[in-house]
Amino acid sequence: MAEHAGGDTRQRLIAAAVDLIAATPGEDFSLRAVCDAVGVKLPTLYHFFGSKQGLVDAVVEHGFDLYLGGKAATESSGDPIQDIRAGWDVHVAFGLANPGFYTLMYGKVRPGHSPAAQARPSEILRALTARAAAQHRLVVPSEQAAAHVLVANIGVTLRQIVLATPDPALSAAVREGVIAAITGTGTLRDDPLAAAMEIAAAHPDVLGRTQTTLLIEWLTALAERRSG
């Protein structure tokens, strides 16, 4: 029973910190204010988290749980490039809806420190770029492609948070520029198979999801036969 009560107090402290961060995005929060909201003393908070950074790390973990919950609710199209597009948009939307969380998750930088929770969405992105590479649709290594997408996605999101103004046109332009760079569609239009794959992936509404997926599979098979 005591263990359950301890777990409940820990979650209440995280929830209180979350509320303070959401109320004043980008601003520091007081540990005393967190404790007052829960009705405990500072030693109790230090018991659970060890330090303020420990509490911040727990809040960041909570933020990534929310973020990944939103990504999980997004149905895969079956096409890795299109899923990168959709993932980009989910990322930006989460940041704009939760600027307090987002600035802690990606905007607070300490040299040599990367929150462990950051690895989870990165793994999802790397899996998508690995699939795209397996389909011969990248002109850079899959790890490099994932890094390009991630840093651009974070930059666009932080820019809009700083300006406090959503800019969907900017986001779409940077997204398509990054995709063109990693797929080579901006410079390799002399490759009709690559061009056809990316045009189909960018406009799945033309043929429909099932037909678009089949077309990309056929074009991938042709590309593999040609390269073989």
Side-chain angles (χ1 to χ4, degrees):
M1 188 65 130
E3 181 179 350
H4 175 75
D8 180 64
T9 300
R10 184 179 188 277
Q11 291 305 313
R12 288 168 59 211
L13 286 165
I14 293 173
V18 165
D19 289 343
L20 288 171
I21 290 165
T24 56
E27 297 182 15
D28 198 10
F29 65 92
S30 161
L31 292 185
R32 190 169 301 280
V34 173
C35 291
D36 289 347
V38 177
V40 298
K41 302 296 185 183
L42 275 173
T44 300
L45 186 147
Y46 285 116
H47 167 74
F48 287 110
F49 302 104
S51 64
K52 184 171 185 177
Q53 186 59 49
L55 175 59
V56 169
D57 288 345
V59 170
V60 167
E61 182 81 25
H62 178 73
F64 275 106
D65 286 343
L66 289 178
Y67 170 48
L68 291 174
K71 288 183 74 70
T74 304
E75 184 179 355
S76 172
S77 69
D79 176 75
I81 300 299
Q82 187 60 20
D83 286 349
I84 288 172
R85 281 190 176 89
W88 176 291
D89 293 342
V90 168
H91 183 112
V92 172
F94 176 85
L96 295 180
N98 303 277
F101 277 145
Y102 193 87
T103 52
L104 281 179
M105 292 161 63
Y106 288 111
K108 299 288 187 181
V109 178
R110 286 192 296 143
H113 175 76
S114 177
Q118 279 187 1
R120 292 188 286 158
S122 296
E123 288 169 3
I124 295 172
L125 179 57
R126 284 196 296 270
L128 290 174
T129 57
R131 284 179 55 206
Q135 294 177 358
H136 308 284
R137 296 171 65 186
L138 300 182
V139 294
V140 297
S142 63
E143 289 281 339
Q144 183 179 338
H148 285 182
V149 172
L150 182 61
V151 296
N153 208 176
I154 293 170
V156 163
T157 306
L158 287 174
R159 174 68 175 171
Q160 293 177 85
I161 290 174
V162 167
L163 296 178
T165 305
D167 192 341
L170 171 66
S171 181
V174 176
R175 181 193 67 207
E176 294 308 309
V178 172
I179 289 176
I182 66 175
T183 61
T185 53
T187 57
L188 298 181
R189 288 298 182 183
D190 56 330
D191 185 339
L193 292 179
M197 277 190 269
E198 300 320 319
I199 291 171
H203 304 283
D205 54 310
V206 174
L207 297 176
R209 179 178 297 178
T210 301
Q211 287 80 3
T212 299
T213 300
L214 285 173
L215 175 60
I216 291 172
E217 289 177 356
W218 293 336
L219 293 172
T220 299
L222 285 173
E224 289 174 347
R225 175 167 294 188
R226 182 185 61 183
S227 63

